[in-house]
Each structure stands twice: as structure tokens, then as C-alpha cells.
């Protein structure tokens, strides 16, 4: 397998540090880090029609609907930089999205290589969120995002575990240590 030929999903609750780790690993592997949260936030900032459609849902800590996300992710994964490998941060977030991803991968005859779960105790997640200061980081929204994660996204942990793809890492450690464990867990020959 070529270094770039790698398809990875990052899973974890809000504020687990998965975005930070996704960026570090993608850079090391030379694959694009695709953060759906960032894509949506820039759409909102740009005032695009996508941005207008997702703004309110995001602000209240809820999930953008699966159909719209399917369009967003299909479009992004069809771009040339993602054809030989990618790291997804923030997708899939529901069982329906996981099925969409399988369908997209099936269409290009590819498989996921690893699903990295970065987790941390709930009190750590809440404390971090309150220090971050993003618009969707107000306390009631933080709790709503955690609730939505537990209800809609956490079931994906089992889904990927049965497939033998899950790599579990504690996000409650220094950034460098988490990064080291992430690399070791996927057998990356970097760093
Ligand atoms: P964090 O990394 O803090 O968990 P993100 O930056 O990934 O959060 O996402 C921010 C918001 O964008 C989410 O709360 C949600 O409203 C929306 N969003 C991002 N990805 C998805 C997705 N795959 N499905 C539905 N909504 C999404």
C-alpha cells in the first residue's frame, strides 16, 4: 500500500481533540484532512446557500440532515486530492452517513483502513468546550452536542469495532502523546 493510499475516519465526541489529531496525522501521511465541521463553518462564513441552510442547525448543536451531508461529502470525496486517500474528521456522524460512506467507497472499489476513536471523560470535554469560545460552545449547546453525539454517533463505535477497524485512543493526554499513540495504532511509518 502506498503511503498516500490510506482511508481513515476519526470518531469522537466534541472537544476530544480529534480535529487537532486529524490535522497532525493527515499532514504526516500526506493525505487531505477533510473536516465537515470546518467545511460547514466556512460555508456559513461565506454566506453561501449551503451556509444559509445549515447555520441555525449548527448554532443549536444539532446535526445537519443526512441527505444534505451526503451531497457535501460525495462532492468533496470526488475531488482529485481525495481519490487515493483521505482522513475524515466529523463524518460519518450517524448510521445513515456510515452507510453513505460505504456506498461511496464501494463505487470506487475502496475500503476504509482505520477508524480512530479519540475519547475523553465527559467533564474534560465540557471544561475544554467552555474554554474554546466558538459560537456553538455556550454551555447549553455544549451539552446538546454531547447528547446528540451519544445518541446518534456513539453507536458507530460498535459498527466499526465489529469490522475490526476501530483503534481506541484516550484524548485525555498531552497532544504529542495522543499523536504518538494514534500513529502507533494505525501502524504508520512516520514520526
Ligand atoms: P467538533 O469537532 O467540535 O465535534 P465539528 O466541527 O466537527 O464539531 O462540527 C460542528 C457542527 O457542524 C456540528 O455540531 C454539526 O452541526 C455540523 N456537522 C459537522 N459534520 C456533520 C455531519 N457529518 N453530519 C451532520 N452535521 C455535521
Amino acid at each position: 500500500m502506498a503511503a498516500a493510499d490510506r482511508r481513515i475516519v476519526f470518531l469522537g465526541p466534541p472537544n476530544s481533540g480529534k480535529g487537532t489529531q486529524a490535522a497532525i496525522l493527515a499532514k504526516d501521511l500526506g493525505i487531505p484532512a477533510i473536516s465537515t465541521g470546518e467545511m460547514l463553518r466556512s460555508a456559513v462564513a461565506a454566506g453561501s446557500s449551503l451556509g444559509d441552510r445549515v447555520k441555525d442547525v449548527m448554532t443549536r448543536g444539532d446535526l445537519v440532515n443526512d441527505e444534505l451531508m451526503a451531497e457535501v461529502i460525495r462532492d468533496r470525496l470526488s475531488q482529485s486530492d481525495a481519490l487515493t486517500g483521505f482522513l475524515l474528521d466529523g463524518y460519518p456522524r450517524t448510521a445513515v452517513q456510515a452507510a453513505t460512506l460505504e456506498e461511496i467507497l464501494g463505487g470506487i472499489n475502496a475500503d476504509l483502513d482505520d477508524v480512530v476513536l479519540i475519547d475523553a471523560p465527559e467533564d474534560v470535554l465540557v471544561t475544554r468546550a467552555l474554554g474554546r469560545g466558538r459560537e456553538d460552545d455556550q454551555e447549553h449547546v455544549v451539552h446538546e452536542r454531547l447528547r446528540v453525539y451519544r445518541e446518534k454517533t456513539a453507536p458507530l463505535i460498535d459498527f466499526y469495532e465489529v469490522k475490526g477497524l476501530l483503534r481506541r485512543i484516550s484524548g485525555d493526554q498531552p497532544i504529542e502523546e495522543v499523536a504518538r499513540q494514534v500513529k502507533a495504532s494505525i501502524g504508520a511509518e512516520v514520526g
Side-chain angles (χ1 to χ4, degrees), residues 12-20 35-41 54-66 68-70 73 89-94 97 132 134 136-137 141 145 148-149 153:
N15 295 290
S16 60
K18 74 181 156 51
T20 303
S35 159
T36 47
E38 267 175 36
M39 289 171 71
L40 298 174
R41 275 190 294 280
V54 303
K55 188 174 193 304
D56 292 346
V57 180
M58 288 178 73
T59 308
R60 64 171 186 264
D62 207 346
L63 294 183
V64 173
N65 76 69
D66 291 331
L68 187 51
M69 287 312 298
I73 205 71
D89 164 22
Y91 194 98
R93 256 181 163 87
T94 67
Q97 293 182 11
R132 192 165 71 165
R134 216 165 67 189
D136 56 356
D137 284 339
V141 183
R145 296 174 79 225
V148 171
Y149 170 78
T153 310

mmCIF file of all heavy atoms in Angstrom, residues 12-20 35-41 54-66 68-70 73 89-94 97 132 134 136-137 141 145 148-149 153, ligand 1:
data_model
loop_
_atom_site.group_PDB
_atom_site.id
_atom_site.type_symbol
_atom_site.label_atom_id
_atom_site.label_comp_id
_atom_site.label_asym_id
_atom_site.label_seq_id
_atom_site.Cartn_x
_atom_site.Cartn_y
_atom_site.Cartn_z
ATOM 1 N N GLY A 12 -15.223 10.621 17.512
ATOM 2 C CA GLY A 12 -15.060 11.023 18.908
ATOM 3 C C GLY A 12 -15.994 12.161 19.252
ATOM 4 O O GLY A 12 -16.497 12.846 18.366
ATOM 5 N N PRO A 13 -16.212 12.354 20.547
ATOM 6 C CA PRO A 13 -17.116 13.419 20.980
ATOM 7 C C PRO A 13 -16.529 14.800 20.711
ATOM 8 O O PRO A 13 -15.317 14.930 20.519
ATOM 9 C CB PRO A 13 -17.246 13.171 22.488
ATOM 10 C CG PRO A 13 -16.030 12.424 22.864
ATOM 11 C CD PRO A 13 -15.643 11.601 21.670
ATOM 12 N N PRO A 14 -17.387 15.838 20.703
ATOM 13 C CA PRO A 14 -16.901 17.201 20.555
ATOM 14 C C PRO A 14 -15.866 17.503 21.640
ATOM 15 O O PRO A 14 -16.044 17.117 22.793
ATOM 16 C CB PRO A 14 -18.142 18.076 20.735
ATOM 17 C CG PRO A 14 -19.296 17.177 20.970
ATOM 18 C CD PRO A 14 -18.854 15.772 20.794
ATOM 19 N N ASN A 15 -14.778 18.142 21.226
ATOM 20 C CA ASN A 15 -13.705 18.547 22.141
ATOM 21 C C ASN A 15 -12.798 17.426 22.629
ATOM 22 O O ASN A 15 -12.021 17.612 23.558
ATOM 23 C CB ASN A 15 -14.249 19.326 23.345
ATOM 24 C CG ASN A 15 -14.840 20.626 22.887
ATOM 25 O OD1 ASN A 15 -14.121 21.511 22.471
ATOM 26 N ND2 ASN A 15 -16.156 20.713 22.894
ATOM 27 N N SER A 16 -12.865 16.286 21.983
ATOM 28 C CA SER A 16 -11.948 15.209 22.335
ATOM 29 C C SER A 16 -10.552 15.499 21.805
ATOM 30 O O SER A 16 -9.588 14.837 22.195
ATOM 31 C CB SER A 16 -12.445 13.888 21.757
ATOM 32 O OG SER A 16 -12.535 13.985 20.349
ATOM 33 N N GLY A 17 -10.459 16.458 20.894
ATOM 34 C CA GLY A 17 -9.175 16.788 20.281
ATOM 35 C C GLY A 17 -8.990 16.092 18.949
ATOM 36 O O GLY A 17 -7.909 16.096 18.369
ATOM 37 N N LYS A 18 -10.057 15.530 18.417
ATOM 38 C CA LYS A 18 -9.889 14.765 17.184
ATOM 39 C C LYS A 18 -9.522 15.631 15.993
ATOM 40 O O LYS A 18 -8.785 15.188 15.113
ATOM 41 C CB LYS A 18 -11.102 13.879 16.909
ATOM 42 C CG LYS A 18 -12.334 14.598 16.421
ATOM 43 C CD LYS A 18 -13.475 13.601 16.221
ATOM 44 C CE LYS A 18 -14.819 14.289 16.300
ATOM 45 N NZ LYS A 18 -14.986 15.480 15.460
ATOM 46 N N GLY A 19 -10.005 16.875 15.975
ATOM 47 C CA GLY A 19 -9.646 17.784 14.872
ATOM 48 C C GLY A 19 -8.144 18.061 14.843
ATOM 49 O O GLY A 19 -7.511 18.021 13.780
ATOM 50 N N THR A 20 -7.589 18.319 16.012
ATOM 51 C CA THR A 20 -6.145 18.559 16.133
ATOM 52 C C THR A 20 -5.364 17.334 15.670
ATOM 53 O O THR A 20 -4.416 17.431 14.887
ATOM 54 C CB THR A 20 -5.795 18.848 17.615
ATOM 55 O OG1 THR A 20 -6.572 19.968 18.052
ATOM 56 C CG2 THR A 20 -4.321 19.137 17.790
ATOM 57 N N SER A 35 -12.523 17.970 7.165
ATOM 58 C CA SER A 35 -13.358 18.221 8.334
ATOM 59 C C SER A 35 -14.688 18.794 7.868
ATOM 60 O O SER A 35 -14.749 19.909 7.359
ATOM 61 C CB SER A 35 -12.655 19.214 9.270
ATOM 62 O OG SER A 35 -13.603 19.830 10.127
ATOM 63 N N THR A 36 -15.758 18.014 8.054
ATOM 64 C CA THR A 36 -17.064 18.512 7.616
ATOM 65 C C THR A 36 -17.479 19.728 8.446
ATOM 66 O O THR A 36 -18.091 20.651 7.922
ATOM 67 C CB THR A 36 -18.140 17.412 7.695
ATOM 68 O OG1 THR A 36 -18.048 16.758 8.960
ATOM 69 C CG2 THR A 36 -17.978 16.410 6.577
ATOM 70 N N GLY A 37 -17.099 19.746 9.734
ATOM 71 C CA GLY A 37 -17.426 20.904 10.570
ATOM 72 C C GLY A 37 -16.800 22.171 10.007
ATOM 73 O O GLY A 37 -17.458 23.211 9.893
ATOM 74 N N GLU A 38 -15.517 22.070 9.617
ATOM 75 C CA GLU A 38 -14.851 23.239 9.046
ATOM 76 C C GLU A 38 -15.448 23.633 7.711
ATOM 77 O O GLU A 38 -15.585 24.813 7.396
ATOM 78 C CB GLU A 38 -13.358 22.969 8.874
ATOM 79 C CG GLU A 38 -12.559 23.436 10.061
ATOM 80 C CD GLU A 38 -11.093 23.052 9.957
ATOM 81 O OE1 GLU A 38 -10.546 23.063 8.833
ATOM 82 O OE2 GLU A 38 -10.518 22.730 11.007
ATOM 83 N N MET A 39 -15.783 22.635 6.896
ATOM 84 C CA MET A 39 -16.392 22.943 5.599
ATOM 85 C C MET A 39 -17.704 23.722 5.793
ATOM 86 O O MET A 39 -17.974 24.700 5.113
ATOM 87 C CB MET A 39 -16.681 21.658 4.813
ATOM 88 C CG MET A 39 -15.427 20.978 4.293
ATOM 89 S SD MET A 39 -15.790 19.343 3.593
ATOM 90 C CE MET A 39 -16.662 19.810 2.101
ATOM 91 N N LEU A 40 -18.504 23.251 6.770
ATOM 92 C CA LEU A 40 -19.788 23.908 7.010
ATOM 93 C C LEU A 40 -19.588 25.295 7.606
ATOM 94 O O LEU A 40 -20.275 26.243 7.226
ATOM 95 C CB LEU A 40 -20.662 23.054 7.928
ATOM 96 C CG LEU A 40 -21.064 21.662 7.394
ATOM 97 C CD1 LEU A 40 -21.807 20.875 8.466
ATOM 98 C CD2 LEU A 40 -21.906 21.776 6.133
ATOM 99 N N ARG A 41 -18.629 25.415 8.545
ATOM 100 C CA ARG A 41 -18.379 26.742 9.134
ATOM 101 C C ARG A 41 -17.903 27.722 8.071
ATOM 102 O O ARG A 41 -18.310 28.882 8.076
ATOM 103 C CB ARG A 41 -17.355 26.659 10.272
ATOM 104 C CG ARG A 41 -17.978 26.286 11.613
ATOM 105 C CD ARG A 41 -17.002 26.440 12.778
ATOM 106 N NE ARG A 41 -15.901 25.505 12.715
ATOM 107 C CZ ARG A 41 -15.973 24.231 13.088
ATOM 108 N NH1 ARG A 41 -17.099 23.738 13.571
ATOM 109 N NH2 ARG A 41 -14.927 23.435 12.979
ATOM 110 N N VAL A 54 -27.501 25.551 6.735
ATOM 111 C CA VAL A 54 -27.035 24.806 7.915
ATOM 112 C C VAL A 54 -26.820 25.647 9.167
ATOM 113 O O VAL A 54 -26.658 25.114 10.260
ATOM 114 C CB VAL A 54 -25.717 24.040 7.600
ATOM 115 C CG1 VAL A 54 -25.929 23.104 6.418
ATOM 116 C CG2 VAL A 54 -24.559 24.988 7.327
ATOM 117 N N LYS A 55 -26.835 26.967 8.987
ATOM 118 C CA LYS A 55 -26.449 27.875 10.077
ATOM 119 C C LYS A 55 -27.224 27.623 11.391
ATOM 120 O O LYS A 55 -26.632 27.401 12.442
ATOM 121 C CB LYS A 55 -26.671 29.315 9.611
ATOM 122 C CG LYS A 55 -26.142 30.365 10.553
ATOM 123 C CD LYS A 55 -26.307 31.741 9.888
ATOM 124 C CE LYS A 55 -25.539 32.832 10.589
ATOM 125 N NZ LYS A 55 -25.801 33.028 11.978
ATOM 126 N N ASP A 56 -28.552 27.639 11.316
ATOM 127 C CA ASP A 56 -29.357 27.530 12.538
ATOM 128 C C ASP A 56 -29.186 26.175 13.216
ATOM 129 O O ASP A 56 -29.072 26.089 14.443
ATOM 130 C CB ASP A 56 -30.834 27.761 12.220
ATOM 131 C CG ASP A 56 -31.075 29.209 11.802
ATOM 132 O OD1 ASP A 56 -30.167 30.040 12.022
ATOM 133 O OD2 ASP A 56 -32.154 29.500 11.248
ATOM 134 N N VAL A 57 -29.171 25.132 12.410
ATOM 135 C CA VAL A 57 -28.998 23.778 12.947
ATOM 136 C C VAL A 57 -27.681 23.684 13.715
ATOM 137 O O VAL A 57 -27.628 23.136 14.824
ATOM 138 C CB VAL A 57 -28.978 22.759 11.788
ATOM 139 C CG1 VAL A 57 -28.788 21.354 12.320
ATOM 140 C CG2 VAL A 57 -30.254 22.847 10.974
ATOM 141 N N MET A 58 -26.617 24.225 13.133
ATOM 142 C CA MET A 58 -25.306 24.152 13.775
ATOM 143 C C MET A 58 -25.277 24.953 15.067
ATOM 144 O O MET A 58 -24.738 24.500 16.073
ATOM 145 C CB MET A 58 -24.223 24.669 12.832
ATOM 146 C CG MET A 58 -23.937 23.726 11.686
ATOM 147 S SD MET A 58 -22.699 24.402 10.579
ATOM 148 C CE MET A 58 -21.195 24.229 11.556
ATOM 149 N N THR A 59 -25.863 26.139 15.024
ATOM 150 C CA THR A 59 -25.830 27.006 16.204
ATOM 151 C C THR A 59 -26.523 26.364 17.397
ATOM 152 O O THR A 59 -26.109 26.552 18.535
ATOM 153 C CB THR A 59 -26.493 28.366 15.888
ATOM 154 O OG1 THR A 59 -25.883 28.877 14.707
ATOM 155 C CG2 THR A 59 -26.303 29.357 17.025
ATOM 156 N N ARG A 60 -27.548 25.551 17.144
ATOM 157 C CA ARG A 60 -28.214 24.937 18.307
ATOM 158 C C ARG A 60 -27.607 23.583 18.678
ATOM 159 O O ARG A 60 -28.094 22.918 19.591
ATOM 160 C CB ARG A 60 -29.724 24.866 18.103
ATOM 161 C CG ARG A 60 -30.221 23.999 16.980
ATOM 162 C CD ARG A 60 -31.750 23.836 17.033
ATOM 163 N NE ARG A 60 -32.162 22.893 16.026
ATOM 164 C CZ ARG A 60 -32.592 23.227 14.822
ATOM 165 N NH1 ARG A 60 -32.693 24.488 14.479
ATOM 166 N NH2 ARG A 60 -32.927 22.290 13.950
ATOM 167 N N GLY A 61 -26.548 23.165 17.996
ATOM 168 C CA GLY A 61 -25.831 21.956 18.387
ATOM 169 C C GLY A 61 -26.402 20.685 17.794
ATOM 170 O O GLY A 61 -26.041 19.579 18.203
ATOM 171 N N ASP A 62 -27.287 20.828 16.841
ATOM 172 C CA ASP A 62 -27.907 19.671 16.211
ATOM 173 C C ASP A 62 -27.117 19.256 14.964
ATOM 174 O O ASP A 62 -26.181 19.947 14.553
ATOM 175 C CB ASP A 62 -29.348 20.037 15.832
ATOM 176 C CG ASP A 62 -30.246 18.818 15.802
ATOM 177 O OD1 ASP A 62 -29.730 17.689 15.809
ATOM 178 O OD2 ASP A 62 -31.474 19.005 15.766
ATOM 179 N N LEU A 63 -27.499 18.143 14.359
ATOM 180 C CA LEU A 63 -26.811 17.677 13.162
ATOM 181 C C LEU A 63 -27.516 18.158 11.901
ATOM 182 O O LEU A 63 -28.746 18.192 11.836
ATOM 183 C CB LEU A 63 -26.767 16.145 13.127
ATOM 184 C CG LEU A 63 -25.951 15.443 14.201
ATOM 185 C CD1 LEU A 63 -25.978 13.935 13.957
ATOM 186 C CD2 LEU A 63 -24.521 15.962 14.232
ATOM 187 N N VAL A 64 -26.716 18.500 10.911
ATOM 188 C CA VAL A 64 -27.235 18.803 9.582
ATOM 189 C C VAL A 64 -27.819 17.494 9.035
ATOM 190 O O VAL A 64 -27.304 16.413 9.331
ATOM 191 C CB VAL A 64 -26.083 19.314 8.694
ATOM 192 C CG1 VAL A 64 -26.525 19.479 7.257
ATOM 193 C CG2 VAL A 64 -25.533 20.621 9.259
ATOM 194 N N ASN A 65 -28.892 17.568 8.239
ATOM 195 C CA ASN A 65 -29.544 16.326 7.831
ATOM 196 C C ASN A 65 -28.677 15.475 6.896
ATOM 197 O O ASN A 65 -27.816 15.967 6.172
ATOM 198 C CB ASN A 65 -30.943 16.603 7.254
ATOM 199 C CG ASN A 65 -30.882 17.158 5.852
ATOM 200 O OD1 ASN A 65 -30.502 16.456 4.916
ATOM 201 N ND2 ASN A 65 -31.236 18.429 5.709
ATOM 202 N N ASP A 66 -28.929 14.176 6.971
ATOM 203 C CA ASP A 66 -28.085 13.200 6.272
ATOM 204 C C ASP A 66 -28.047 13.394 4.756
ATOM 205 O O ASP A 66 -27.012 13.163 4.130
ATOM 206 C CB ASP A 66 -28.576 11.777 6.593
ATOM 207 C CG ASP A 66 -28.325 11.378 8.043
ATOM 208 O OD1 ASP A 66 -27.353 11.884 8.651
ATOM 209 O OD2 ASP A 66 -29.091 10.551 8.567
ATOM 210 N N LEU A 68 -28.365 16.194 2.991
ATOM 211 C CA LEU A 68 -27.512 17.335 2.639
ATOM 212 C C LEU A 68 -26.037 16.976 2.853
ATOM 213 O O LEU A 68 -25.174 17.274 2.024
ATOM 214 C CB LEU A 68 -27.915 18.553 3.485
ATOM 215 C CG LEU A 68 -27.247 19.888 3.155
ATOM 216 C CD1 LEU A 68 -27.350 20.199 1.665
ATOM 217 C CD2 LEU A 68 -27.877 21.011 3.975
ATOM 218 N N MET A 69 -25.748 16.284 3.963
ATOM 219 C CA MET A 69 -24.366 15.874 4.231
ATOM 220 C C MET A 69 -23.868 14.901 3.171
ATOM 221 O O MET A 69 -22.681 14.907 2.825
ATOM 222 C CB MET A 69 -24.252 15.240 5.622
ATOM 223 C CG MET A 69 -24.358 16.208 6.777
ATOM 224 S SD MET A 69 -23.337 17.690 6.631
ATOM 225 C CE MET A 69 -21.679 17.003 6.588
ATOM 226 N N ALA A 70 -24.769 14.063 2.646
ATOM 227 C CA ALA A 70 -24.366 13.114 1.599
ATOM 228 C C ALA A 70 -23.885 13.875 0.364
ATOM 229 O O ALA A 70 -22.878 13.526 -0.247
ATOM 230 C CB ALA A 70 -25.530 12.188 1.247
ATOM 231 N N ILE A 73 -20.410 15.443 1.161
ATOM 232 C CA ILE A 73 -19.285 14.509 1.241
ATOM 233 C C ILE A 73 -19.004 13.843 -0.108
ATOM 234 O O ILE A 73 -17.850 13.627 -0.481
ATOM 235 C CB ILE A 73 -19.498 13.476 2.389
ATOM 236 C CG1 ILE A 73 -18.158 12.943 2.870
ATOM 237 C CG2 ILE A 73 -20.398 12.338 1.993
ATOM 238 C CD1 ILE A 73 -17.322 13.932 3.643
ATOM 239 N N ASP A 89 -12.761 13.783 9.262
ATOM 240 C CA ASP A 89 -12.958 14.246 10.630
ATOM 241 C C ASP A 89 -14.357 14.852 10.733
ATOM 242 O O ASP A 89 -14.613 15.911 10.191
ATOM 243 C CB ASP A 89 -11.869 15.288 10.950
ATOM 244 C CG ASP A 89 -12.177 16.119 12.191
ATOM 245 O OD1 ASP A 89 -12.972 15.661 13.030
ATOM 246 O OD2 ASP A 89 -11.603 17.214 12.310
ATOM 247 N N GLY A 90 -15.254 14.141 11.406
ATOM 248 C CA GLY A 90 -16.625 14.669 11.552
ATOM 249 C C GLY A 90 -17.633 14.009 10.631
ATOM 250 O O GLY A 90 -18.795 14.390 10.606
ATOM 251 N N TYR A 91 -17.207 13.039 9.884
ATOM 252 C CA TYR A 91 -18.088 12.254 9.027
ATOM 253 C C TYR A 91 -17.576 10.833 9.006
ATOM 254 O O TYR A 91 -16.371 10.651 8.831
ATOM 255 C CB TYR A 91 -18.114 12.814 7.591
ATOM 256 C CG TYR A 91 -19.260 12.257 6.765
ATOM 257 C CD1 TYR A 91 -20.440 12.978 6.604
ATOM 258 C CD2 TYR A 91 -19.165 10.998 6.169
ATOM 259 C CE1 TYR A 91 -21.506 12.458 5.885
ATOM 260 C CE2 TYR A 91 -20.225 10.467 5.462
ATOM 261 C CZ TYR A 91 -21.394 11.209 5.314
ATOM 262 O OH TYR A 91 -22.451 10.686 4.607
ATOM 263 N N PRO A 92 -18.403 9.822 9.179
ATOM 264 C CA PRO A 92 -19.847 9.876 9.420
ATOM 265 C C PRO A 92 -20.182 10.181 10.883
ATOM 266 O O PRO A 92 -19.399 9.907 11.777
ATOM 267 C CB PRO A 92 -20.300 8.463 9.061
ATOM 268 C CG PRO A 92 -19.119 7.600 9.370
ATOM 269 C CD PRO A 92 -17.905 8.433 9.064
ATOM 270 N N ARG A 93 -21.386 10.724 11.085
ATOM 271 C CA ARG A 93 -21.864 11.031 12.431
ATOM 272 C C ARG A 93 -23.165 10.305 12.747
ATOM 273 O O ARG A 93 -23.672 10.425 13.858
ATOM 274 C CB ARG A 93 -22.134 12.535 12.524
ATOM 275 C CG ARG A 93 -21.090 13.340 13.288
ATOM 276 C CD ARG A 93 -21.558 14.784 13.287
ATOM 277 N NE ARG A 93 -20.927 15.607 14.273
ATOM 278 C CZ ARG A 93 -19.781 16.258 14.096
ATOM 279 N NH1 ARG A 93 -19.107 16.139 12.976
ATOM 280 N NH2 ARG A 93 -19.314 17.039 15.043
ATOM 281 N N THR A 94 -23.700 9.562 11.801
ATOM 282 C CA THR A 94 -24.925 8.782 12.026
ATOM 283 C C THR A 94 -24.775 7.461 11.265
ATOM 284 O O THR A 94 -23.916 7.340 10.379
ATOM 285 C CB THR A 94 -26.183 9.496 11.461
ATOM 286 O OG1 THR A 94 -26.090 9.531 10.031
ATOM 287 C CG2 THR A 94 -26.332 10.913 11.985
ATOM 288 N N GLN A 97 -25.163 7.977 7.606
ATOM 289 C CA GLN A 97 -23.954 8.540 6.993
ATOM 290 C C GLN A 97 -22.886 7.461 6.805
ATOM 291 O O GLN A 97 -22.162 7.460 5.806
ATOM 292 C CB GLN A 97 -23.406 9.686 7.839
ATOM 293 C CG GLN A 97 -24.332 10.895 7.854
ATOM 294 C CD GLN A 97 -23.768 12.061 8.654
ATOM 295 O OE1 GLN A 97 -22.607 12.062 9.050
ATOM 296 N NE2 GLN A 97 -24.604 13.066 8.891
ATOM 297 N N ARG A 132 -13.176 27.240 24.808
ATOM 298 C CA ARG A 132 -12.875 27.381 23.381
ATOM 299 C C ARG A 132 -13.492 28.618 22.745
ATOM 300 O O ARG A 132 -12.922 29.215 21.836
ATOM 301 C CB ARG A 132 -13.325 26.109 22.652
ATOM 302 C CG ARG A 132 -12.825 25.993 21.234
ATOM 303 C CD ARG A 132 -12.988 24.583 20.711
ATOM 304 N NE ARG A 132 -14.379 24.229 20.474
ATOM 305 C CZ ARG A 132 -14.758 23.174 19.765
ATOM 306 N NH1 ARG A 132 -13.847 22.361 19.246
ATOM 307 N NH2 ARG A 132 -16.026 22.896 19.591
ATOM 308 N N ARG A 134 -16.216 29.151 20.768
ATOM 309 C CA ARG A 134 -16.879 29.194 19.474
ATOM 310 C C ARG A 134 -18.363 29.452 19.708
ATOM 311 O O ARG A 134 -18.855 29.264 20.820
ATOM 312 C CB ARG A 134 -16.687 27.837 18.785
ATOM 313 C CG ARG A 134 -16.508 27.928 17.294
ATOM 314 C CD ARG A 134 -15.978 26.617 16.758
ATOM 315 N NE ARG A 134 -16.953 25.531 16.878
ATOM 316 C CZ ARG A 134 -16.658 24.261 16.636
ATOM 317 N NH1 ARG A 134 -15.438 23.922 16.276
ATOM 318 N NH2 ARG A 134 -17.588 23.333 16.755
ATOM 319 N N ASP A 136 -20.959 27.839 18.934
ATOM 320 C CA ASP A 136 -21.729 26.687 19.411
ATOM 321 C C ASP A 136 -21.128 26.089 20.690
ATOM 322 O O ASP A 136 -21.361 24.948 21.020
ATOM 323 C CB ASP A 136 -21.873 25.620 18.307
ATOM 324 C CG ASP A 136 -20.529 25.147 17.760
ATOM 325 O OD1 ASP A 136 -19.491 25.690 18.183
ATOM 326 O OD2 ASP A 136 -20.528 24.242 16.923
ATOM 327 N N ASP A 137 -20.345 26.874 21.419
ATOM 328 C CA ASP A 137 -19.729 26.418 22.659
ATOM 329 C C ASP A 137 -20.386 26.973 23.920
ATOM 330 O O ASP A 137 -19.837 26.851 25.011
ATOM 331 C CB ASP A 137 -18.230 26.770 22.691
ATOM 332 C CG ASP A 137 -17.413 25.834 21.803
ATOM 333 O OD1 ASP A 137 -17.903 24.734 21.500
ATOM 334 O OD2 ASP A 137 -16.308 26.214 21.415
ATOM 335 N N VAL A 141 -25.483 24.543 24.650
ATOM 336 C CA VAL A 141 -25.218 23.949 23.336
ATOM 337 C C VAL A 141 -24.183 22.820 23.464
ATOM 338 O O VAL A 141 -24.302 21.776 22.822
ATOM 339 C CB VAL A 141 -24.742 25.012 22.314
ATOM 340 C CG1 VAL A 141 -24.548 24.381 20.946
ATOM 341 C CG2 VAL A 141 -25.720 26.164 22.244
ATOM 342 N N ARG A 145 -24.739 19.103 22.156
ATOM 343 C CA ARG A 145 -23.862 18.420 21.201
ATOM 344 C C ARG A 145 -23.384 17.084 21.761
ATOM 345 O O ARG A 145 -23.269 16.105 21.036
ATOM 346 C CB ARG A 145 -22.677 19.315 20.835
ATOM 347 C CG ARG A 145 -23.123 20.587 20.116
ATOM 348 C CD ARG A 145 -21.979 21.544 19.888
ATOM 349 N NE ARG A 145 -21.180 21.122 18.760
ATOM 350 C CZ ARG A 145 -19.850 21.088 18.737
ATOM 351 N NH1 ARG A 145 -19.165 21.433 19.788
ATOM 352 N NH2 ARG A 145 -19.230 20.694 17.669
ATOM 353 N N VAL A 148 -26.344 14.665 21.500
ATOM 354 C CA VAL A 148 -26.501 14.227 20.113
ATOM 355 C C VAL A 148 -25.403 13.209 19.753
ATOM 356 O O VAL A 148 -25.651 12.201 19.100
ATOM 357 C CB VAL A 148 -26.482 15.430 19.140
ATOM 358 C CG1 VAL A 148 -26.411 14.977 17.691
ATOM 359 C CG2 VAL A 148 -27.711 16.309 19.365
ATOM 360 N N TYR A 149 -24.187 13.471 20.236
ATOM 361 C CA TYR A 149 -23.084 12.529 19.980
ATOM 362 C C TYR A 149 -23.420 11.153 20.554
ATOM 363 O O TYR A 149 -23.292 10.135 19.874
ATOM 364 C CB TYR A 149 -21.774 13.047 20.588
ATOM 365 C CG TYR A 149 -20.686 11.998 20.549
ATOM 366 C CD1 TYR A 149 -19.992 11.733 19.371
ATOM 367 C CD2 TYR A 149 -20.395 11.223 21.679
ATOM 368 C CE1 TYR A 149 -19.020 10.722 19.317
ATOM 369 C CE2 TYR A 149 -19.428 10.218 21.631
ATOM 370 C CZ TYR A 149 -18.752 9.976 20.461
ATOM 371 O OH TYR A 149 -17.813 8.980 20.406
ATOM 372 N N THR A 153 -24.074 9.310 17.216
ATOM 373 C CA THR A 153 -22.745 8.976 16.698
ATOM 374 C C THR A 153 -22.088 7.814 17.443
ATOM 375 O O THR A 153 -21.470 6.944 16.816
ATOM 376 C CB THR A 153 -21.817 10.218 16.743
ATOM 377 O OG1 THR A 153 -22.495 11.316 16.135
ATOM 378 C CG2 THR A 153 -20.518 9.959 15.989
HETATM 379 P P1 LIG B 1 -16.466 19.150 16.795
HETATM 380 O O1 LIG B 1 -15.179 18.798 16.119
HETATM 381 O O2 LIG B 1 -16.339 20.236 17.790
HETATM 382 O O3 LIG B 1 -17.171 17.947 17.315
HETATM 383 P P2 LIG B 1 -17.374 19.844 14.153
HETATM 384 O O4 LIG B 1 -16.508 20.997 13.875
HETATM 385 O O5 LIG B 1 -16.998 18.527 13.554
HETATM 386 O O6 LIG B 1 -17.507 19.700 15.726
HETATM 387 O O7 LIG B 1 -18.878 20.142 13.685
HETATM 388 C C1 LIG B 1 -19.568 21.307 14.052
HETATM 389 C C2 LIG B 1 -21.053 21.199 13.665
HETATM 390 O O8 LIG B 1 -21.184 21.002 12.244
HETATM 391 C C3 LIG B 1 -21.812 20.007 14.270
HETATM 392 O O9 LIG B 1 -22.271 20.263 15.563
HETATM 393 C C4 LIG B 1 -22.951 19.818 13.248
HETATM 394 O O10 LIG B 1 -23.984 20.752 13.427
HETATM 395 C C5 LIG B 1 -22.280 20.119 11.923
HETATM 396 N N1 LIG B 1 -21.755 18.890 11.292
HETATM 397 C C6 LIG B 1 -20.442 18.618 11.031
HETATM 398 N N2 LIG B 1 -20.318 17.416 10.458
HETATM 399 C C7 LIG B 1 -21.570 16.907 10.362
HETATM 400 C C8 LIG B 1 -22.122 15.677 9.883
HETATM 401 N N3 LIG B 1 -21.330 14.706 9.398
HETATM 402 N N4 LIG B 1 -23.448 15.493 9.935
HETATM 403 C C9 LIG B 1 -24.252 16.436 10.426
HETATM 404 N N5 LIG B 1 -23.817 17.612 10.907
HETATM 405 C C10 LIG B 1 -22.489 17.852 10.879
#
